[in-house]
Amino acid sequence: MVRFYKNRSIIMVAVAAIIIIVIIALTSMDRGQVSGLESIVGIIIRPATQALTRVVDSIRSSIAGLAEIGSLKNTNQMLNQQLIALRAQVREIEALRQENQRLREMLDFKNTHPEFDLIGCSIAGKSPDNTSGIFIINKGIENGVLKNMPVVTSRGLVGRVIETANGWAKVLPLNDQRSSVSILVNRTRDTGILKGDISFELTGSISPEAAIVEGDDVVTSGMGGVYPKGLYVGKITGISTGESQLLKTIRVEPAVDFDKLEEVFVLRHVEELPFEGETID
Amino acid sequence: MSWWVIALMLLVNFILQSTVFQYIAIMDIMPDFALVIVVAVSILIGNRRGAVVGATAGIIQDIVYGKPVGITALSYMLAGYIVGEYSGRVFKERLVVPVFFTAGATLLKYFISIFFNYVLGVPTGIPVYIRHYIPVELIYNCAVSALLYRALYLVLNRSTTLPRVRAKKRR
């Protein structure tokens, strides 16, 4: 009896494992929309994570100097109460100023690029998995967010939507190891491929004849059909030629700070920019 | 009651881990609190329920953040089952037990993750995993496990009596 019981639990776990592997196989295929059940889970989870993210974001700016405070402990002993209060005030103003500037930039972006239909979103939560960069946003199908729509900030390209549901969507950032984008070096017009990697850095390969130098701006090339042409990605910070000499390897510093994303835009229409070579930055 | 305690703990942890805990990362790595909880729970409630708790915790994380869905569920479920399977042969009060199991579960999780990345054609930087992700998270998870186990033990041990009795009756 004991043996049967034990065998039965092994069989149950094995069956469950097979079911999960089937789910992995099914969901690893390209699908734009999550299933109804998944959507419900997201709807339950998202408001809580979003509210918390918002609280954390708002206090984070004001406690950004926390590490600094630790190292300046000795100095701080000399500071009086008034100075501390003033500092707190200054930080609060600074946080507000930064938010103001960010929102203003976004508004500018929207005004100066009427060719894009933008959906403003905020980040509702980030993947707890250390090796995944996926985050969720607070807009979904009902706001017109669909699979493969590019996600940008006023600084540049962030990534693309990979799955959507009612009220939320998953975004795969550029620097995730599963992400890749076809690029164009703005000055020399050389094309290449840029990929994210496990360390969340952007590395790419480009033709060995390309006369690129460090500091060149990199934009999307429009090939591949996901990202429209001319979205700003970042600057080249390193160039190396591999042993085979077949391709140059480049390292790109993204214009977007992926660790500090708060508000993003989803581009509703994936269309080529009106003027070839024009960049958005 | 106990199921509710476990479910609530995992849910609250999940919400915290995808928001607040993002900012306590050391060397860009967060401890996997969910795995620590699954291991602790499995030590106390055995293999079958450990597997159920692991699979549930994993599938929720997968649904919201996973691509594809299921890898975390599979690793947490197997971790819960294996830990539960061997928990009967150890002294559950000893602190070394959860730390050891947490280390094993962390390795299992990364093994499964790398395996599926490989199968699905995601370029895996295995040296980076070995150099960075695995050692840092291993140490971090074990430390969290050592710190939290006593508290989890007290909460769960008190609240797990109910289903245990029920399960026996069912048999």
Side-chain angles (χ1 to χ4, degrees):
Chain A
M1 183 65 195
V2 171
R3 188 168 195 158
F4 170 73
Y5 181 70
K6 201 181 160 189
N7 283 344
R8 201 175 61 165
S9 57
I10 288 179
I11 291 166
M12 276 171 57
V13 168
V15 169
I18 290 166
I19 293 170
I20 293 176
I21 289 169
V22 170
I23 294 173
I24 293 174
L26 290 175
T27 55
S28 71
M29 287 186 271
D30 254 11
R31 56 168 194 165
Q33 203 176 326
V34 303
S35 65
L37 187 70
E38 292 172 64
S39 182
I40 291 167
V41 173
I43 287 169
I44 296 167
I45 299 283
R46 189 185 53 80
T49 58
Q50 193 182 351
L52 260 177
T53 305
R54 203 170 284 168
V55 170
V56 171
D57 279 343
S58 64
I59 57 174
R60 188 165 54 117
S61 326
S62 47
I63 60 163
L66 205 62
E68 197 188 337
I69 287 169
S71 69
L72 293 176
K73 213 170 179 178
N74 293 336
T75 327
N76 277 355
Q77 283 173 350
M78 297 183 292
L79 298 173
N80 57 33
Q81 204 69 36
Q82 196 188 2
L83 190 56
I84 292 167
L86 278 172
R87 260 195 185 175
Q89 252 180 29
V90 169
R91 269 196 216 104
E92 202 171 304
I93 292 166
E94 176 63 15
L96 286 170
R97 195 187 62 80
Q98 280 176 9
E99 190 184 0
N100 190 344
Q101 189 187 342
R102 226 173 34 241
L103 294 174
R104 195 179 289 274
E105 277 175 11
M106 295 219 137
L107 197 66
D108 280 352
F109 183 84
K110 201 164 181 167
N111 287 338
T112 51
H113 298 285
E115 68 274 18
F116 292 124
D117 196 1
L118 302 169
I119 307 164
C121 310
S122 53
I123 312 271
K126 290 176 184 165
S127 173
D129 183 353
N130 287 318
T131 61
S132 164
I134 292 176
F135 58 87
I136 56 172
I137 52 175
N138 67 341
K139 300 275 170 71
I141 300 168
E142 80 280 10
N143 303 98
V145 175
L146 296 175
K147 189 193 169 185
N148 278 343
M149 283 185 172
V151 177
V152 297
T153 67
S154 56
R155 287 162 182 262
L157 184 61
V158 175
R160 66 185 168 94
V161 175
I162 49 168
E163 279 168 14
T164 59
N166 269 323
W168 60 287
K170 287 184 205 177
V171 176
L172 183 69
L174 271 188
N175 61 353
D176 188 283
Q177 54 178 334
R178 289 159 286 194
S179 216
S180 68
V181 55
S182 175
I183 51 150
L184 188 68
V185 179
N186 207 23
R187 188 175 57 83
T188 64
R189 316 309 289 168
D190 288 300
T191 54
I193 298 282
L194 200 61
K195 285 180 175 161
D197 69 14
I198 182 73
S199 314
F200 295 101
E201 280 164 357
L202 290 174
T203 49
S205 37
I206 208 156
S207 157
E209 283 100 37
I212 48 171
V213 292
E214 286 183 17
D216 275 347
D217 285 327
V218 168
V219 299
T220 53
S221 76
M223 282 186 266
V226 175
Y227 302 108
K229 188 172 184 172
L231 291 176
Y232 188 58
V233 177
K235 277 189 193 315
I236 297 179
T237 54
I239 304 165
S240 59
T241 314
E243 278 173 24
S244 60
Q245 307 276 323
L246 286 174
L247 288 168
K248 264 183 187 165
T249 306
I250 55 167
R251 193 167 283 278
V252 173
E253 175 77 35
V256 174
D257 187 347
F258 290 95
D259 291 334
K260 290 177 185 159
L261 286 177
E262 288 170 38
E263 295 103 9
V264 293
F265 282 126
V266 174
L267 296 190
R268 205 195 296 258
H269 290 304
V270 183
E271 283 174 342
E272 202 169 295
L273 282 176
F275 305 109
E276 192 178 313
E278 188 181 280
T279 62
I280 296 158
D281 52 0
Chain B
M1 171 64 184
S2 88
W3 287 113
W4 285 110
V5 171
I6 295 168
L8 192 71
M9 205 152 66
L10 287 169
L11 192 69
V12 169
N13 170 64
F14 175 69
I15 290 166
L16 288 175
Q17 199 155 13
S18 55
T19 53
V20 184
F21 292 168
Q22 299 275 344
Y23 303 108
I24 61 157
I26 294 178
M27 295 167 78
D28 286 338
I29 288 180
M30 287 183 289
D32 191 340
F33 285 98
L35 187 69
V36 171
I37 294 173
V38 168
V39 168
V41 166
S42 304
I43 291 172
L44 298 170
I45 66 176
N47 56 10
R48 286 174 67 179
R49 283 183 291 252
V52 171
V53 170
T56 314
I59 204 83
I60 291 175
Q61 183 174 323
D62 274 335
I63 284 175
V64 181
Y65 294 104
K67 177 75 187 169
V69 172
I71 296 177
T72 319
L74 184 67
S75 45
Y76 284 6
M77 181 184 76
L78 290 180
Y81 184 80
I82 296 167
V83 169
E85 181 67 33
Y86 288 99
S87 65
R89 307 174 197 179
V90 293
F91 290 107
K92 296 176 184 180
E93 292 79 10
R94 297 279 299 275
L95 203 58
V96 67
V97 170
V99 172
F100 178 77
F101 280 138
T102 302
T106 308
L107 291 177
L108 178 76
K109 181 184 87 164
Y110 272 101
F111 175 76
I112 290 174
S113 157
I114 292 171
F115 173 78
F116 276 100
N117 274 346
Y118 179 75
V119 170
L120 297 169
V122 177
T124 45
I126 289 177
V128 185
Y129 274 105
I130 293 171
R131 227 175 31 233
H132 185 61
Y133 288 99
I134 297 177
V136 178
E137 195 181 314
L138 198 68
I139 294 168
Y140 216 169
N141 284 356
C142 290
V144 168
S145 174
L147 288 171
L148 290 186
Y149 183 69
R150 196 140 303 272
L152 289 171
Y153 182 86
L154 288 174
V155 173
L156 292 167
N157 217 21
R158 198 182 311 159
S159 58
T160 40
T161 13
L162 203 58
R164 221 174 241 172
V165 174
R166 266 196 214 149
K168 271 180 193 158
K169 272 183 192 164
R170 220 183 291 152
R171 247 192 293 164

